[in-house]
């Protein structure tokens, strides 16, 4: 159980700078700061800097059985420069640096006491005209990213990863259908545990719990259907399901 409180200060300056802060207290303590600054007369370009502390919990599974729960306290930050394209997409180039530990909460101690360092650059292209990425009813969403982890950026291991995603959804009345693909590929190097792709949950192999699967490479295709039952506090209540293959 976590209690989260966030604060937004905007604008900080005539160019529209924003400062966000988030404090989370409970099982997964977190403290995050994020600064966003538009650049140029039309604010098409921007920079973003973030730093913080997080302590998420991850479970280790085997054949659907939970073997252990680990806490992963992490300190780090990120610097990003980018360009927005109207209201439908963006291109960003970022650098991130993080340090963390894997601490056993309960269960199998196979990964207990492991410390790790991450240092990587990422190029990301995003197209976003979707209403909801989790259970969409209409629109399109696309993502392509390239990650380069390097020892000279502070990482334990040097490796490369490519990820891509495409999602389309359409609605007729209360009925809607959606379909998409997800793809991730790693170079033939040692990929440390924190750098592997996390799968599980809806459209990420729904038969598994979120983050239950850690893999170096994957490909998933999925189709889904939802029916809007009504609206509660201006939000849609929907019933639906997915068929996924990968």
């Amino acid at each position: 159980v976590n209690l989260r409180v966030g604060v937004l200060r905007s604008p900080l300056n005539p160019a529209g700078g924003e400062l966000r802060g988030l404090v989370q207290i409970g099982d997964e303590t977190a403290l995050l700061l994020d600064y966003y600054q538009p650049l140029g007369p039309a604010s098409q370009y921007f920079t973003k800097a973030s730093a913080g502390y997080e302590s998420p919990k991850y479970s280790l599974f085997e054949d659907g059985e939970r073997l252990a729960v680990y806490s992963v306290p992490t300190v780090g930050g990120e610097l990003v420069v980018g360009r927005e394209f109207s209201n439908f997409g963006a291109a960003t180039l970022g650098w991130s640096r993080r340090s963390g530990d894997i601490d056993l909460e309960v269960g199998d101690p196979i990964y207990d006491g492991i410390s790790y360092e991450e240092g990587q650059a990422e190029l990301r292209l995003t197209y976003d005209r979707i209403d909801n990425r989790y259970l969409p009813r209409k629109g399109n969403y696309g993502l392509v990213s390239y990650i380069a982890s390097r020892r000279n950026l502070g990482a334990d291991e040097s490796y490369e990863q490519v990820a891509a995603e495409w999602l389309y959804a359409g609605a007729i009345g209360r009925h809607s259908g959606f379909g998409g693909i997800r793809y991730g590929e790693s170079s033939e190097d040692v990929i440390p545990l924190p750098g592997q792709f996390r799968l599980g949950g809806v459209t990420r192999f729904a038969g598994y719990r979120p983050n239950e699967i850690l893999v170096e490479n994957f490909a998933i295709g999925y189709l889904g259907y939802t029916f809007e039952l009504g609206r509660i506090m201006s939000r849609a209540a929907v019933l639906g399901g997915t068929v996924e293959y990968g």
Side-chain angles (χ1 to χ4, degrees):
V1 178
N2 298 296
L3 175 64
R4 177 181 296 184
V5 178
V7 177
L8 170 64
R9 179 73 182 275
S10 176
L12 285 178
N13 50 51
E18 298 179 352
L19 180 64
R20 298 179 177 89
L22 183 146
V23 176
Q24 181 170 288
I25 301 173
D27 295 333
E28 300 175 305
T29 303
L31 175 62
L32 302 171
L33 288 175
D34 182 283
Y35 179 72
Y36 171 83
Q37 180 62 60
L39 302 173
S43 299
Q44 291 181 324
Y45 296 89
F46 64 90
T47 62
K48 187 171 73 170
S50 60
Y53 167 84
E54 298 178 278
S55 58
K57 286 182 169 59
Y58 295 105
S59 295
L60 175 66
F61 293 89
E62 183 175 314
D63 297 327
E65 179 183 355
R66 179 179 291 164
L67 301 181
V69 178
Y70 293 94
S71 176
V72 188
T74 305
V75 177
E78 183 178 27
L79 295 174
V80 175
V81 294
R83 187 188 191 282
E84 293 183 340
F85 300 97
S86 185
N87 62 347
F88 62 82
T92 61
L93 178 63
W95 168 79
S96 62
R97 180 75 171 85
R98 293 181 176 85
S99 299
D101 300 289
I102 301 177
D103 300 326
L104 179 68
E105 294 271 317
V106 61
D108 191 333
I110 183 173
Y111 297 117
D112 186 31
I114 296 177
S115 298
Y116 66 90
E117 302 288 337
E118 290 185 314
Q120 59 188 32
E122 179 181 13
L123 175 63
R124 177 181 292 240
L125 302 175
T126 306
Y127 177 85
D128 190 351
R129 297 293 290 171
I130 201 78
D131 60 344
N132 185 313
R133 288 179 57 193
Y134 185 69
L135 287 174
R137 287 184 54 78
K138 59 180 178 179
N140 298 272
Y141 176 83
L143 168 70
V144 177
S145 73
Y146 167 76
I147 292 175
S149 174
R150 294 290 183 267
R151 289 189 178 93
N152 57 15
L153 294 178
D156 290 326
E157 301 289 345
S158 293
Y159 60 89
E160 299 176 2
Q161 291 177 316
V162 175
E165 179 180 351
W166 181 258
L167 167 63
Y168 171 79
I172 301 176
R174 293 188 175 188
H175 304 270
S176 67
F178 60 91
I181 56 173
R182 298 182 189 273
Y183 175 82
E185 182 177 350
S186 301
S187 59
E188 296 181 358
D189 299 291
V190 175
I191 311 298
L193 201 64
Q196 295 185 18
F197 297 108
R198 298 184 178 96
L199 300 176
V202 177
T203 73
R204 295 177 178 271
F205 292 135
Y208 298 89
R209 297 176 178 88
N211 300 317
E212 181 174 348
I213 310 173
L214 294 177
V215 297
E216 297 181 5
N217 305 285
F218 73 94
I220 304 172
Y222 59 89
L223 296 171
Y225 165 80
T226 63
F227 177 76
E228 184 176 335
L229 300 173
R231 304 192 73 83
I232 301 175
M233 298 180 65
S234 299
R235 301 179 70 89
V238 300
L239 178 67
T242 61
V243 175
E244 305 171 22
Y245 179 81

